[in-house]
Amino acid sequence: MPTFLGTARRLALTPALDAVTIGKRGFPGADSPAASRLDLVPQTVICGFEWAIEARSMAHVQRRLSVVDPELRGFAYEGATMAYTVRDAFGGHRTRDLLLDTGAPHLFVAYIGIGFAMARLPRRLWSKVVPDLGDTRYHPTMSWLAVDGYGFDRAYFDTDKWIGRQYLPAPYPWAGAPHYFPRALDQGIGRALWFMHGARPEGVAGAVGRFAPARQADLWSGAGLAASFAGGCDAEGYDRLRELAGPHHGQLALGAVLAAKARDYAGHVPDYTSTAVQVLGGVSVADASALADEASSAGEAPGPEPSYELWRRAIRAHFEAGARATSK
């Protein structure tokens, strides 16, 4: 049963389901054939958020999450993690409990949900939003996905500022690497561009091209992740996306590998993810997942780059080496 306070939180923080659609947001992809299916993603996030923001019992929330279609379940966990992060900011450890239990397979997207919560919390609370998950694999390296999620949220809901004016906030010392904060934001903004343009490669490429050249690589990486994790086009569309990425193909393939790993880790790989990672990266989901695991051994190294970027760099190097071999 919901609590009175929980219901008040839901009413204050939750947008209407139709308010987050591509059409209602006024995005250029509103007339895309993929728009209605892509709209299910933010709507599923909202459902997960609503369930967790007001429910008294976590078991009740978990039961609801369990009946969501496997293809969309990770997005529901995003929303639930977002809600629990907001609630934990005022006391509690719901996020940790969820991610050490049924949320564990959805850790990658759960971090993104933490980023959504950050967009609704003051910066002074950000240092407390990532729970201690002990020796859980990929933690805390992948917590940079929370910054990615924050970037996505701001691009999607404050578009004129973050896309139109290409705003970048002051760096934040996430994981002790403030210099990397803007890059992780751009990875999330790139993901948002895939949705905003209705999975149309030309629209995404045009939007990326309007950003400063130094930001485009991370934007392409984010677009590749969204295209592979959320789908929206066929093999021909992915091939066109790869062509338009040009010299940033390695970044696009990197995003596809991260998406394939996240899907494989959660135990459900849609056909479009298999297609995307094959077209964008030339590898199977199994090989992409293995590549991600192998690259994770990159670990720490002298210098300022966080382990997350070293991991990404090792994945990207695989594709860049392949491109050089092909060109010889």
Side-chain angles (χ1 to χ4, degrees):
M1 290 289 293
T3 65
F4 174 79
L5 181 58
T7 299
R9 285 192 298 258
R10 175 177 59 81
L11 294 174
L13 295 173
T14 313
L17 287 177
D18 64 348
V20 298
T21 63
I22 296 172
K24 284 289 186 178
R25 298 298 306 158
F27 295 146
D31 61 347
S32 166
S36 61
R37 199 173 66 74
L38 290 175
D39 284 339
L40 292 175
V41 171
Q43 290 177 328
T44 303
V45 172
I46 286 177
C47 287
F49 179 85
E50 287 184 332
W51 297 336
I53 199 67
E54 66 177 347
R56 191 187 304 272
S57 164
M58 181 174 290
H60 181 72
V61 174
Q62 290 171 309
R63 178 58 184 161
R64 286 189 166 186
L65 293 169
S66 72
V67 300
V68 176
D69 185 276
E71 181 181 337
L72 294 169
R73 190 174 299 155
F75 299 116
Y77 268 94
E78 272 187 39
T81 305
M82 172 187 172
Y84 280 150
T85 302
V86 170
R87 294 179 67 175
D88 289 348
F90 303 97
H93 45 78
R94 303 167 190 84
T95 307
R96 184 198 69 190
D97 293 347
L98 182 67
L99 298 185
L100 289 176
D101 195 28
T102 57
H106 305 286
L107 178 64
F108 289 64
V109 291
Y111 279 130
I112 291 173
I114 290 175
F116 293 165
M118 288 163 58
R120 288 148 187 85
L121 294 171
R123 274 195 171 203
R124 60 185 173 81
L125 296 179
W126 286 6
S127 63
K128 301 178 180 179
V129 295
V130 177
D132 182 1
L133 301 180
D135 59 357
T136 298
R137 192 174 187 184
Y138 307 114
H139 175 81
T141 298
M142 296 301 295
S143 72
W144 280 100
L145 284 170
V147 182
D148 176 308
Y150 177 73
F152 180 103
D153 183 284
R154 294 297 76 212
Y156 203 87
F157 292 106
D158 196 0
T159 309
D160 287 346
K161 181 177 182 179
W162 286 69
I163 301 295
R165 301 200 298 275
Q166 299 179 10
Y167 171 77
L168 271 178
Y172 179 86
W174 193 268
H179 73 283
Y180 193 74
F181 184 76
R183 291 195 56 189
L185 285 176
D186 277 346
Q187 292 154 26
I189 293 171
R191 284 196 305 112
L193 292 176
W194 180 255
F195 285 84
M196 295 162 66
H197 289 273
R200 285 178 169 148
E202 286 80 6
V204 174
V208 171
R210 287 188 285 275
F211 278 80
R215 300 180 63 179
Q216 292 179 16
D218 286 311
L219 294 169
W220 274 114
S221 172
L225 198 161
S228 305
F229 194 91
C233 65
D234 56 16
E236 183 178 350
Y238 289 126
D239 189 59
R240 179 59 175 155
L241 186 68
R242 184 183 186 280
E243 177 186 359
L244 291 168
H248 296 301
H249 161 246
Q251 293 282 354
L252 195 66
L254 162 62
V257 167
L258 297 183
K261 179 62 194 179
R263 282 293 193 181
D264 186 52
Y265 193 64
H268 179 80
V269 181
D271 288 344
Y272 54 73
T273 298
S274 299
T275 300
V277 74
Q278 183 64 58
V279 175
L280 300 180
V283 294
S284 67
V285 169
D287 287 343
S289 185
L291 172 60
D293 286 339
E294 179 182 350
S296 67
S297 64
E300 303 291 342
E305 297 302 342
S307 57
Y308 179 64
E309 176 55 23
L310 297 178
W311 183 58
R312 289 166 49 87
R313 186 180 295 173
I315 295 172
R316 191 169 63 248
H318 170 85
F319 297 102
E320 292 172 346
R324 286 193 296 270
T326 302
S327 65
K328 291 181 179 179

